[in-house]
Amino acid sequence: MFRLKILLMIFCIAFSVQAAFAEKQARYLLGAMPLPSNQFPDSYGSYSKGCLAGGQAMLESGPTWQVMRLSRGRNWGHPNMISFLERLSKAVAKETSWNGIYIGDISQPRGGPMISGHVSHQLGLDVDIWMLPAKNLNLTKSERESISSIDVRAKNKKTISSNWTKDHMEILKLSANDPSVDRIFVTAPVKIYMCNHESGNRDWLQKIRPYWGHNFHFHVRLKCPKDASFCKTQKPTVQYLSKGGIGCDETLNWWITKALEPIKIDPNKITPKSKKHPREYTMADLPKQCIAVLNSE
Ligand SMILES: [Zn+2]
């Protein structure tokens, strides 16, 4: 009888540990891993609900880049991301007055939801690149924690600021013309400016998407890698844009008019139950391959 009780107790403890694990938010589990999984590189799920296997580190400094805010440990990406950043930064050093780029967050070593900040950046295929011209590539680690980027949007939130230069436009164009890039998020005044000033081939503007924020950095999203069969491709941006246009139309104006008006809340309107926020995801919400990513050496 006594033995049975002990067995039952062990069973209960094991079960509750398992249950606690299942209920624990994925951001605390994946966010606690200091190193990538020992697996073949792959991206599982979608940009805002997934994880990264076999993540590769973007070296802290290279001939044409420096990674900023190293203490965050978010300089991990899919190998496609690492080669994109090497390629882009080299082109930036060659084609502009900048010596390279300052790289912000990519992903955690195993991707997934983050304890703070981003909703996306979960697959190792999203990166933030600073608007601050990377002229000095000898910044110390502590300088990279303390210096800030610059705002390319004016105080009125409708136009670009005096920090904007033709090199910013050239760098966004170089990024958009890279075949591995799916889309790029920028503050709307930047897209408006570029729509008004690109007189040559305008196709690349199709990849540039206006979005909230993105005035201190721009966000580059890569396409799902060819062999990543469980990576969920987003709808092509062209589907959002009227008749396959490049988004340089009146819809862009919404961002500097209606979008800036204060939100009116109707007390009589019943708000539908909101979807789970990525920070609330448990491992069960993520693609099943993420369990192996978490448990790998
Ligand atoms: Zn971002």
Side-chain angles (χ1 to χ4, degrees):
M1 193 60 197
F2 181 69
R3 223 184 249 173
L4 192 72
K5 259 189 184 165
I6 297 273
L7 267 172
L8 202 70
M9 250 167 69
I10 292 171
F11 176 77
C12 285
I13 291 169
F15 184 77
S16 52
V17 165
Q18 185 68 29
F21 175 81
E23 273 166 33
K24 197 164 179 181
Q25 290 171 345
R27 60 182 171 137
Y28 292 117
L29 296 166
L30 287 162
M33 307 308 284
L35 290 170
S37 69
N38 186 14
Q39 294 173 298
F40 190 77
D42 212 341
S43 296
Y44 298 116
S46 61
Y47 298 92
S48 301
K49 198 182 202 177
C51 60
L52 168 68
Q56 200 180 321
M58 186 70 202
L59 288 182
E60 296 178 4
S61 294
T64 47
W65 73 86
Q66 284 204 292
V67 176
M68 310 303 277
R69 305 287 190 263
L70 287 159
S71 62
R72 298 196 201 191
R74 293 176 179 172
N75 57 320
W76 300 84
H78 186 280
N80 282 18
M81 174 56 83
I82 307 306
S83 48
F84 162 73
L85 288 169
E86 288 173 358
R87 195 161 63 234
L88 174 72
S89 63
K90 214 170 154 185
V92 166
K94 192 165 167 254
E95 308 289 338
T96 75
S97 72
W98 299 18
N99 292 322
I101 51 173
Y102 290 145
I103 299 167
D105 288 358
I106 311 173
S107 290
Q108 301 176 138
R110 301 187 189 203
M114 298 190 192
I115 291 172
S116 62
H118 317 279
V119 166
S120 63
H121 288 252
Q122 296 197 24
L123 303 182
L125 297 171
D126 290 289
V127 62
D128 292 338
I129 297 172
W130 283 28
M131 296 289 190
L132 179 68
K135 299 279 170 97
N136 176 2
L137 292 178
N138 293 310
L139 296 174
T140 63
K141 279 190 183 186
S142 70
E143 281 168 332
R144 284 185 262 170
E145 293 296 327
S146 60
I147 65 165
S148 305
S149 189
I150 51 163
D151 193 350
V152 295
R153 184 181 64 178
K155 289 244 158 26
N156 67 13
K157 299 185 179 171
K158 295 179 178 193
T159 55
I160 46 146
S161 74
S162 57
N163 285 329
W164 176 261
T165 63
K166 66 172 181 17
D167 281 337
H168 285 96
M169 179 150 161
E170 185 57 31
I171 289 160
L172 280 159
K173 189 172 173 176
L174 286 169
S175 309
N177 278 328
D178 190 293
S180 67
V181 170
D182 181 67
R183 64 194 67 199
I184 298 168
F185 300 112
V186 292
T187 183
V190 161
K191 170 122 189 181
I192 294 170
Y193 177 90
M194 297 195 301
C195 285
N196 292 338
H197 288 82
E198 177 55 273
S199 49
N201 186 336
R202 293 162 63 80
D203 291 352
W204 63 277
L205 287 164
Q206 187 263 324
K207 285 191 190 174
I208 309 278
R209 305 282 304 151
Y211 206 64
W212 307 106
H214 298 92
N215 43 323
F216 285 87
H217 68 261
F218 61 97
H219 174 145
V220 180
R221 173 164 296 167
L222 300 190
K223 293 173 185 165
C224 278
K226 277 203 173 68
D227 53 356
S229 18
F230 298 97
C231 175
K232 280 193 196 146
T233 304
Q234 251 185 313
K235 264 193 206 165
T237 51
V238 75
Q239 286 185 13
Y240 293 116
L241 308 172
S242 55
K243 297 186 189 94
I246 52 169
C248 292
D249 50 42
E250 68 289 350
T251 57
L252 200 47
N253 227 29
W254 177 85
W255 290 93
I256 55 161
T257 52
K258 264 244 163 325
L260 298 179
E261 289 170 11
I263 303 165
K264 290 183 206 111
I265 297 164
D266 182 353
N268 300 318
K269 212 172 158 192
I270 304 156
T271 40
K273 200 179 175 299
S274 59
K275 275 200 309 191
K276 222 182 205 184
H277 190 278
R279 281 198 277 280
E280 296 165 359
Y281 291 154
T282 64
M283 291 308 291
D285 293 315
L286 301 182
K288 61 177 191 310
Q289 293 90 344
C290 296
I291 301 277
V293 169
L294 176 67
N295 291 335
S296 159
E297 276 170 42

